[in-house]
Amino acid sequence: MTAPGVPRAQLAQLLQSYLTKLRDLGIEYSFTLRQFSGYLPEFTAMQSPIEVGTSQYGGRLIPRSLVEKNNSDLTAAFRSILEGGGGIGTVGLSVSKSVAGDVYNAVLPAWRNTLLDVVVVTPWSFTTPLSDMFALQRRMTEVYIPTLAALTPGGGCYLNEGDFLEPDWQNVFYGANYKRLREIKKAFDPEDVFYAPTAVGSDEWVVADGGRLCRV
């Protein structure tokens, strides 16, 4: 856990009820608190090397209301993903209007109600049969993410950690901003020079046999 601007003693107090619960449940753990002068020393000391190309990603933004009102179903969803072979990472944060202000910009509106940015991963191996990896891709798209989406109707996902096969990517990654973003792209890139599978405007193209892009 990283808690910017929180003194060590205060963080220990904030975590006390959580640690007590772990002990009550008989869960063994190790606990260490360290304070750093800045983010770079903390990152250097605490973060292990991050490998690239060894995981497939998907995600969902979890609103505070779900955690407060239906935490049991959220816990059950996490458990089903973990027991089904997926992995889960979370980032707790608040970029609500009370924190950021009522800003008019391109940020996915779902961020404003988010308490947890949940990242779901499945392993990617360069030695395992490709068909097995594709099966995990489908499981991400058809099972893991829909499990979380069912609890967060109208919600979204952080684009950089999203499932690249997300079928409703316009709404999940851009939300109500998509129409305006498409207008902006048309104004500055009228020939659609810039393309990515889940980028604004890519729904107007299809990848044909051989990898060529063709207009729909």
Side-chain angles (χ1 to χ4, degrees), residues 62-120:
I62 305 300
R64 180 179 296 272
S65 59
L66 178 60
V67 176
E68 292 177 341
K69 299 177 181 179
N70 196 7
N71 195 47
S72 59
D73 281 358
L74 178 60
T75 301
F78 285 165
R79 186 183 298 277
S80 70
I81 292 171
L82 292 171
E83 292 179 347
I88 291 177
T90 63
V91 177
L93 75 167
S94 175
V95 289
S96 64
K97 290 182 179 180
S98 62
V99 173
D102 191 6
V103 183
Y104 178 66
N105 57 23
V107 170
L108 175 67
W111 277 110
R112 300 308 182 194
N113 302 312
T114 293
L115 177 64
L116 299 174
D117 173 21
V118 173
V119 181
V120 181

Side-chain angles (χ1 to χ4, degrees), residues 162-182:
D163 176 13
F164 74 101
L165 295 176
E166 166 61 54
D168 190 29
W169 59 267
Q170 296 95 328
N171 290 314
V172 171
F173 296 150
Y174 302 99
N177 292 330
Y178 187 81
K179 181 179 178 181
R180 177 58 181 147
L181 290 171
R182 185 65 188 98

Side-chain angles (χ1 to χ4, degrees), residues 15-34:
L15 291 173
Q16 191 56 52
S17 61
Y18 174 71
L19 298 177
T20 299
K21 186 66 174 179
L22 291 180
R23 289 193 292 270
D24 291 344
L25 294 172
I27 298 175
E28 295 183 2
Y29 65 90
S30 59
F31 180 63
T32 303
L33 281 176
R34 297 180 62 183

Side-chain angles (χ1 to χ4, degrees), residues 42-78:
E42 183 273 339
F43 182 87
T44 302
M46 303 296 290
Q47 301 294 325
S48 59
I50 301 175
E51 296 182 335
V52 177
T54 59
S55 297
Q56 303 178 93
Y57 284 81
R60 195 74 178 181
L61 300 177
I62 305 300
R64 180 179 296 272
S65 59
L66 178 60
V67 176
E68 292 177 341
K69 299 177 181 179
N70 196 7
N71 195 47
S72 59
D73 281 358
L74 178 60
T75 301
F78 285 165

